[in-house]
Amino acid sequence: MTANIFIHAATDSISDITKGPLSGTMIALQSNISVRNWPTEAGSRALEGFIALEDATVVERLRKAGASIAGNLTMSELGLGLSGNISARAVSEGYADATLSADMMGEARIAAAAHRLIGFKPSYGIMSRFGFIGLIPSMECIGIIAKSPEVITDVLKAATGFDERDFSMSPDIPSFDSSDEIEPSATTIGTITQAHAFLAPAEEEIFKEALEALEDAGFMLKEISLEDFDLFRTVHHIVGSVEASSSGGKYDGVRFGHRAGAAKNWNDMYLKSRAESFGTVVKSFLFQGAYFQFEDYGTFEKACRIRAKLLKTVQTLFDTIDFLVLPQAVRSVPESETTAIDTLYDLCALTLPANVTGHPALCLPSKDGLSLQFIARHLRDGELLSLARYLVR
Amino acid sequence: MKYEAVIGLEIHVQLNSKTKMFCDCPNCPGDDPNKNTCPICLWLPGAIPRFSEEVLEKATITALALNCEIQPVNAFDQKVYYYPDLPKGFQLSQFHKPLAKNGWVEIFDEEGCPKKIGIHQVHMEEDVAKLMHETEGRTPISLVDFNRAGTPLTEIVSKPDIRTPFEAMEYIKALRAQIRYAGSAECSMEQGTMRVDANVSIRPEGSEELNTKVEIKNMNSIHNVGDAIAYEIERQAKCLDTGEPIILHTRLWDPEKKVTLPMRGKFEGPCIPDPSVPPITISEEWLNKMRTRLPEMPVRKAARFTDQYGLNHDEASLMSSERELSEYFETVTKLAIPPRTAVHWISTQLMPLMKDNNQTFPNLTITPERLASLIGMLERDEINAKSAREVLTKLFSTDSTPEAIVNEFGFRQVSDTDALVSLIDSVLAKNPQAVSDLKAGTQKAMGFLIGQAMQASKGKANPKLIREILLKKFE
C-alpha cells in the first residue's frame, strides 16, 4: 500500500532524462524536503497546508541527473524521532531505490539498520540544506537510505557540491569520482571501549565476532578509550535543543501553518497556535532548549565549548586510524512516534556523535541483525563508500 | 542636591544598500506593501539566509567613518522575541561578536570646547516588518508589510560619555555628518532611516557611580531627543529628591505632551549564535580596500580648506560640514572663483534660496558652472551685486544661463563713463539741496546721490563708477 507511507505520490514521477547517471533511479523524499507545488508539511501541524514555492537544491540536482522522484513520505514531526521507519520502508518495500531522509541524531542510519539497508549521513556541509526543513541547523543533514553502496554513491555524486544558496556549506567539497580500492592491510579501524556498554551481552558477542571478521579480512583494529563518550549525548541534547527552540521560532502560525482561532491577543495567538501545533516529542525538546536558553545560558555556552573539544578529540583520533566502527544493535524501533526524548536519545546514543562533530557516517548491515556504523574523516565520504563497497563484496 | 546625567545613545541607521541583508529583494521599504519579499525574507520553511557582501561593505564603511576598530571575525546571533513584525521569532543581530568596537566622534560642548564621545560598538542587524492596524468592518485587524523585514541596519552604541541634552544632540549631528559623508546611509530621523534610543541615569555631581538607567524611545527628531532627555533628567531628579526608587524600564516620549511615559517591559532573552549564517572573517586586504573607499572626512577636509584656500575656521567647517556642499564649493573654486567669494555666495545667497526652493545639493539645479559664471560676471563688474542676487533667484526657475538672463532682463551694468556722467548730471540738477550739502561736507549726501543715480539707472549702473565720478566732480 502506497497510501500509508506517501503523503504525496507523484503521478508523473518518471524522469524524461534517459541518459543521466540516475536515469531509472526512483527516489522518495521525506516531506521536509521541498518540491515545488507539493505539500511540504514536515510531519507537523505547524506547517499545515504549506506548499513549497521552490525545489530544494538536492531535488533540482537529482532531477537533472535523471532521477525520478516518487513522492514524499509521512514522517515524524520535523524529523525528530523514528516513527515507523517510513523512509526505510519505502526502499525495502520497493517504492524507491533510495530515500532522502533527515538525520539529526542518527534517524536515517537507524531506520536503515532496522530494515537491513545501508544508511548514510554525509559530512556536514557537502549537501545543500536549501529547501530542507529542519530543527537543528548545525547538526542535521539529509541522509540517504538504499540497498547498495553504489546507489548511495550515485545519489551523493549528483546531490552534493557547493550551492550559493547555502552559505553554511564547506568551501572545498571533494568530488566522489574516485572509487578508491580499499587495501585492508593498510587500513586501521578504531573501536571505542565505551561503546560496548550500550550493548546487551548477546549483542556484544555478535559485535566481537563482527570485529574478528574484519581482522580476518586483514584490517588492523585499534581499541581506543574515550572517557568522555557520554558527553556527545549531553552536548547534542543541550546544543540541539537550544538551536531547535531558537530557530524553531519561525513556526509561529503567522505566515503559514496552523493558527489557533479565538486568541485574545498576539501573545495568546502564539501560545495557543504552538500548543496546538507541536506534538509531545517536539514540545518537550523545545521546552528543554528554552530552559537552557533563558534560564541556564551558561550551561549552553559550556556545551558549545565541550562540542569544540569533542570535535578536536575525534579529529585527533583520525591521526592514527582511518575509520571508526561503532555497533548499531538490533533494536526494535517503535512503530509509533517515540513519546519521550530520553528514549530517543537512548536509541541514538551511538549515532549522534557524528551529528555533533559533522563527520560522515554509514550504517552497514552485518551479522544477525547487527549493523556496523563506520565513521570516516571529515569530507572523506568517498573513502567511507569505498569501504562499504569492499565490505559488501 | 545637584545631579549630573549619564547618557548613552543607541542609534539605528538604515544602510542604503541596493538589496536586503540576507536576500536579493530591493531595499525599498516604502514600496507597495509586500512587493519586496521572497521566501528568505518571509522566512518560509527551507529558506536559508545568504549574507550580502554589499551590506558588509556599507556597514564597515560606516564603522570606519566613526573611527572604530573593525573586528577580525564578526558573527550573527538569534535575538529571540515573539512579535508579528518579526517573521521568524528571532532577529538576526550581532551580540557576541560585533562588527566593530571602540570608535569615537568629536563634538563641541556648550562652552565650545571639543569633546570626544566614545562609541562602544557598531554591529549589524536586520530590520523588522511593519505592522498596520486597520479595521475590517468593525473588527480591528493587524496587517503585516514585510517590505522592511530583513533590510539592513547598523546599530551604533555610544559609551555613556554624554552629560547633557545639548551634547546628545551634537553627538547625533556629528555622527550623522560622518555617516552621510561616508555615503552609506541617509540618516534622516524624520523619515525613520535613523532611530535614536537614549539611556539616561543621573548621579550626584562629582560622583563616579553608574546608577539604574531608564531607556527612552520614540523620538523622531534631534530636538525631540534633546527635549526627552531634558525631561527625563528632571523626572529622575524629582524621584531621587522625593526618595522614589528608579527602576530599569523603557519609557516612550510623547511629542505632543512633551513627557516620557512608561511602556510595558519587553521580554528579551539571551542571544544564541545563529547556526545558518557562518561567522564572517575580515581580511586585512579587504579592510584596506574599504579604507580606500572612505572619503576625506570633515575634520581633515576643513583643515585642508584652511591651508589650501585660506578660509577661516568657521568658513572651513561650514564648507566641509556636508559632503555634497564641500564638493560643490571645491568645484566652484576650480572654475576660477576666489574661494572666499565662493564661500560668501554659497552660504549667504545660494543656501537660503535652496531652502526656499526646496532643493538640496543632490537635486540642485544651480550647477557649480552656473553659479561660477554668475559670480564671474560680478567679479568682472559686468553686473552689480544687487543684479547678481536677482539673477540667482531667476536661475532657480529657468534653464537659461546667467548670461542669457542678464541680457534678457537688461541687468548688464552701465559702466560707460559718458553715459553715467550725463545721468549723474541730471540727478544733480534735480537735487540741489543734496549738492549743497555735499559741498558743505555732509557725507550722507554722497550716499543719497549715489542711491538716486542707481535708481535713475534702474539699478544697472556700476555704483563704484558713480562714486568715482561724483568724487571727481566735487574734488
Side-chain angles (χ1 to χ4, degrees):
Chain A
M1 279 299 290
T2 54
N4 61 356
I5 73 164
F6 280 101
I7 286 176
H8 179 91
T11 45
D12 53 349
S13 61
I14 305 299
S15 170
D16 304 332
I17 302 169
T18 51
K19 286 204 176 123
L22 290 176
S23 292
T25 305
M26 188 66 87
I27 294 174
L29 310 170
Q30 268 189 334
S31 59
N32 60 342
I33 297 169
S34 306
V35 179
R36 199 175 118 84
N37 289 336
W38 285 17
T40 308
E41 298 182 345
S44 180
R45 223 185 154 194
L47 282 91
E48 194 174 71
F50 179 69
I51 307 285
L53 295 171
E54 292 171 277
D55 282 344
T57 300
V58 287
V59 170
E60 199 180 279
R61 289 184 180 173
L62 291 175
R63 279 188 167 152
K64 231 178 235 167
S68 303
I69 308 294
N72 63 17
L73 306 164
T74 59
M75 61 183 288
S76 50
E77 185 168 25
L78 296 166
L80 190 71
L82 291 158
S83 69
N85 298 321
I86 302 291
S87 49
R89 269 180 57 200
V91 175
S92 68
E93 292 174 21
Y95 299 116
D97 300 302
T99 313
L100 297 191
S101 184
D103 193 308
M104 296 182 184
M105 52 206 304
E107 294 89 339
R109 284 164 281 163
I110 292 172
H115 284 262
R116 316 303 296 143
L117 296 166
I118 303 176
F120 177 73
K121 180 201 97 72
S123 292
Y124 186 82
I126 70 167
M127 209 191 281
S128 169
R129 283 170 44 250
F130 180 85
F132 171 77
I133 300 163
L135 204 56
I136 315 176
S138 81
M139 295 188 183
E140 63 206 4
C141 286
I142 299 177
I144 306 167
I145 298 171
K147 282 179 181 156
S148 73
E150 285 78 9
V151 173
I152 290 179
T153 307
D154 289 344
V155 171
L156 196 66
K157 267 189 201 169
T160 49
F162 186 73
D163 176 14
E164 56 162 28
R165 292 182 293 187
D166 181 358
F167 251 54
S168 64
M169 293 188 78
S170 191
D172 44 2
I173 298 166
S175 63
F176 299 99
D177 287 343
S178 66
S179 45
D180 292 339
E181 281 306 313
I182 289 289
E183 176 47 54
S185 61
T187 306
T188 309
I189 299 177
T191 62
I192 292 176
T193 316
Q194 285 74 11
H196 292 263
F198 293 85
L199 300 173
E203 293 168 338
E204 201 180 352
E205 272 315 302
I206 305 170
F207 182 47
K208 278 183 182 157
E209 282 169 32
L211 294 181
E212 277 163 24
L214 285 175
E215 268 185 319
D216 292 346
F219 289 99
M220 288 178 287
L221 290 190
K222 185 181 174 196
E223 187 171 325
I224 299 155
S225 175
L226 276 187
E227 298 284 336
D228 295 333
F229 193 79
D230 283 348
L231 285 177
F232 282 106
R233 175 180 175 154
T234 313
V235 163
H236 190 289
H237 202 150
I238 296 169
V239 177
S241 65
V242 170
E243 267 186 33
S245 158
S246 190
S247 308
K250 59 177 159 286
Y251 306 121
D252 59 7
V254 174
R255 290 143 300 136
F256 56 85
H258 170 71
R259 190 193 295 183
K264 286 189 292 248
N265 51 43
W266 291 328
N267 216 30
D268 195 40
M269 175 186 80
Y270 287 126
L271 291 173
K272 281 196 174 130
S273 301
R274 285 168 69 88
E276 290 171 12
S277 292
F278 295 127
T280 322
V281 179
V282 168
K283 243 183 226 173
S284 49
F285 199 53
L286 297 183
F287 264 125
Q288 290 168 3
Y291 171 77
F292 290 111
Q293 192 179 358
F294 299 112
E295 299 293 329
D296 194 1
Y297 191 76
T299 298
F300 166 71
E301 283 186 310
K302 255 183 234 160
C304 288
R305 282 198 296 273
I306 296 172
R307 184 184 186 185
K309 261 192 192 161
L310 289 173
L311 175 61
K312 263 210 183 108
T313 305
V314 175
Q315 281 167 343
T316 314
L317 285 187
F318 282 112
D319 289 345
T320 55
I321 60 169
D322 300 296
F323 301 101
L324 257 181
V325 63
L326 292 165
Q328 189 54 46
V330 198
R331 294 276 162 92
S332 54
V333 174
E335 270 304 309
S336 60
E337 186 136 358
T338 335
T339 50
I341 277 286
D342 280 343
T343 315
L344 192 59
Y345 270 101
D346 287 343
L347 286 164
C348 298
L350 294 174
T351 48
L352 60 81
N355 299 84
V356 171
T357 62
H359 285 80
L362 178 139
C363 262
L364 193 66
S366 178
K367 278 191 209 164
D368 298 322
L370 180 87
S371 281
L372 294 181
Q373 185 197 183
F374 294 94
I375 299 174
R377 295 181 182 95
H378 191 233
L379 302 179
R380 303 288 184 88
D381 303 58
E383 285 176 18
L384 194 54
L385 289 159
S386 298
L387 177 71
R389 274 203 301 275
Y390 181 90
L391 293 174
V392 165
R393 234 182 282 154
Chain B
M1 192 186 286
K2 271 204 104 179
Y3 296 106
E4 166 185 72
V6 179
I7 303 158
L9 298 184
E10 291 174 10
I11 302 185
H12 284 89
V13 167
Q14 194 179 72
L15 296 174
N16 60 7
S17 62
K18 287 186 194 72
T19 68
K20 291 189 181 183
M21 204 157 183
F22 297 104
C23 63
D24 294 333
C25 288
N27 176 18
C28 303
D31 284 358
D32 290 345
N34 293 313
K35 187 179 160 221
N36 304 321
T37 57
C38 74
I40 296 176
C41 57
L42 290 173
W43 298 92
L44 294 182
I48 301 179
R50 195 174 69 235
F51 185 54
S52 147
E53 185 165 351
E54 192 204 355
V55 169
L56 181 66
E57 289 174 6
K58 297 247 166 176
T60 303
I61 286 171
T62 305
L64 287 173
L66 303 175
N67 309 300
C68 289
E69 296 160 11
I70 307 295
Q71 303 300 296
V73 175
N74 66 80
F76 284 93
D77 296 296
Q78 301 183 343
K79 189 169 159 189
V80 170
Y81 67 92
Y82 283 78
Y83 206 68
D85 68 3
L86 187 61
K88 59 187 177 308
F90 61 83
Q91 182 185 26
L92 284 169
S93 179
Q94 299 192 309
F95 179 77
H96 297 291
K97 290 181 176 166
L99 171 69
K101 289 180 183 170
N102 298 328
W104 54 267
V105 291
E106 191 174 68
I107 61 162
F108 292 90
D109 68 11
E110 279 99 329
E111 273 82 53
C113 299
K115 176 175 176 177
K116 270 187 185 176
I117 304 292
I119 290 168
H120 171 64
Q121 72 172 47
V122 173
H123 63 259
M124 300 179 272
E125 68 180 28
E126 53 174 347
D127 208 343
V128 297
K130 206 170 146 188
L131 290 179
M132 290 187 275
H133 305 291
E134 295 181 4
T135 50
E136 210 170 55
R138 284 186 167 181
T139 320
I141 55 165
S142 296
L143 300 169
V144 194
D145 173 9
F146 286 99
N147 279 350
R148 202 177 65 182
T151 57
L153 299 173
T154 50
E155 182 173 347
I156 301 148
V157 183
S158 83
K159 291 183 179 158
D161 291 350
I162 301 165
R163 293 289 168 270
T164 66
F166 177 83
E167 287 181 15
M169 293 193 288
E170 290 302 302
Y171 167 72
I172 299 170
K173 285 183 206 159
L175 180 133
R176 184 178 64 178
Q178 294 287 109
I179 297 175
R180 282 182 177 168
Y181 242 84
S184 51
E186 321 308 339
C187 294
S188 159
M189 283 192 78
E190 288 75 11
Q191 279 162 30
T193 54
M194 180 160 95
R195 286 165 247 159
V196 180
D197 300 335
N199 287 307
V200 180
S201 68
I202 60 170
R203 63 187 177 197
E205 214 172 55
S207 118
E208 285 298 312
E209 63 196 78
L210 285 177
N211 291 322
T212 307
K213 64 186 183 186
V214 171
E215 185 188 37
I216 334 171
K217 289 175 175 286
N218 199 39
M219 291 86 75
N220 54 11
S221 73
I222 293 181
H223 266 282
N224 272 189
V225 175
D227 291 349
I229 294 174
Y231 176 87
E232 186 57 25
I233 293 171
E234 207 167 301
R235 192 191 68 82
Q236 290 187 20
K238 266 184 210 152
C239 286
L240 289 189
D241 287 341
T242 56
E244 192 185 319
I246 296 193
I247 314 154
L248 181 76
H249 71 302
T250 299
R251 299 178 76 85
L252 290 184
W253 172 246
D254 183 332
E256 304 287 307
K257 296 187 188 130
K258 296 201 173 297
V259 294
T260 62
L261 299 168
M263 75 181 270
R264 210 161 51 117
K266 189 173 81 177
F267 166 79
E268 231 174 87
C271 299
I272 78 146
D274 183 84
S276 292
V277 185
I280 297 147
T281 309
I282 306 272
S283 71
E284 198 51 37
E285 189 195 350
W286 185 85
L287 191 55
N288 282 332
K289 215 169 75 190
M290 291 304 114
R291 287 195 180 107
T292 61
R293 282 173 48 180
L294 197 67
E296 184 185 29
M297 299 303 279
V299 174
R300 263 181 51 205
K301 190 171 271 189
R304 179 168 66 80
F305 281 0
T306 307
D307 290 349
Q308 190 174 340
Y309 301 119
L311 307 189
N312 65 33
H313 176 265
D314 285 352
E315 290 168 341
S317 63
L318 176 65
M319 283 302 111
S320 59
S321 62
E322 276 181 56
R323 185 169 162 185
E324 283 100 348
L325 164 61
S326 70
E327 285 164 2
Y328 189 93
F329 160 72
E330 285 212 271
T331 314
V332 173
T333 61
K334 284 199 183 102
L335 296 166
I337 302 301
R340 300 193 65 179
T341 308
V343 173
H344 173 74
W345 273 83
I346 293 170
S347 61
T348 63
Q349 305 300 327
L350 180 68
M351 286 168 71
L353 281 170
M354 283 167 65
K355 214 174 173 188
D356 295 344
N357 285 281
N358 241 335
Q359 290 194 6
T360 56
F361 282 101
N363 66 13
L364 182 58
T365 51
I366 314 297
T367 59
E369 290 73 19
R370 293 177 93 196
L371 183 71
S373 89
L374 177 65
I375 301 175
M377 282 190 282
L378 177 68
E379 287 284 306
R380 290 190 301 274
D381 278 339
E382 291 168 30
I383 53 174
N384 59 38
K386 182 169 165 284
S387 305
R389 286 196 289 274
E390 278 180 52
V391 174
L392 185 60
T393 308
K394 288 188 189 299
L395 282 176
F396 274 91
S397 51
T398 166
D399 292 338
S400 310
T401 61
E403 287 82 0
I405 294 177
V406 164
N407 291 335
E408 186 186 339
F409 292 92
F411 282 122
R412 203 163 286 279
Q413 182 158 262
V414 180
S415 296
D416 175 346
T417 316
D418 291 346
L420 280 182
V421 168
S422 65
L423 184 133
I424 287 168
D425 284 344
S426 73
V427 167
L428 294 180
K430 278 183 208 156
N431 296 286
Q433 181 61 46
V435 172
S436 58
D437 285 353
L438 187 60
K439 278 181 183 157
T442 309
Q443 278 307 308
K444 251 166 111 188
M446 175 63 108
F448 173 76
L449 289 170
I450 294 173
Q452 290 298 307
M454 285 302 288
Q455 212 166 33
S457 76
K458 297 195 179 85
K460 282 179 255 168
N462 179 342
K464 267 190 271 174
L465 264 180
I466 296 176
R467 174 181 283 272
E468 275 168 31
I469 293 166
L470 280 172
L471 283 174
K472 252 186 208 161
K473 273 189 190 292
F474 294 96
E475 251 167 6

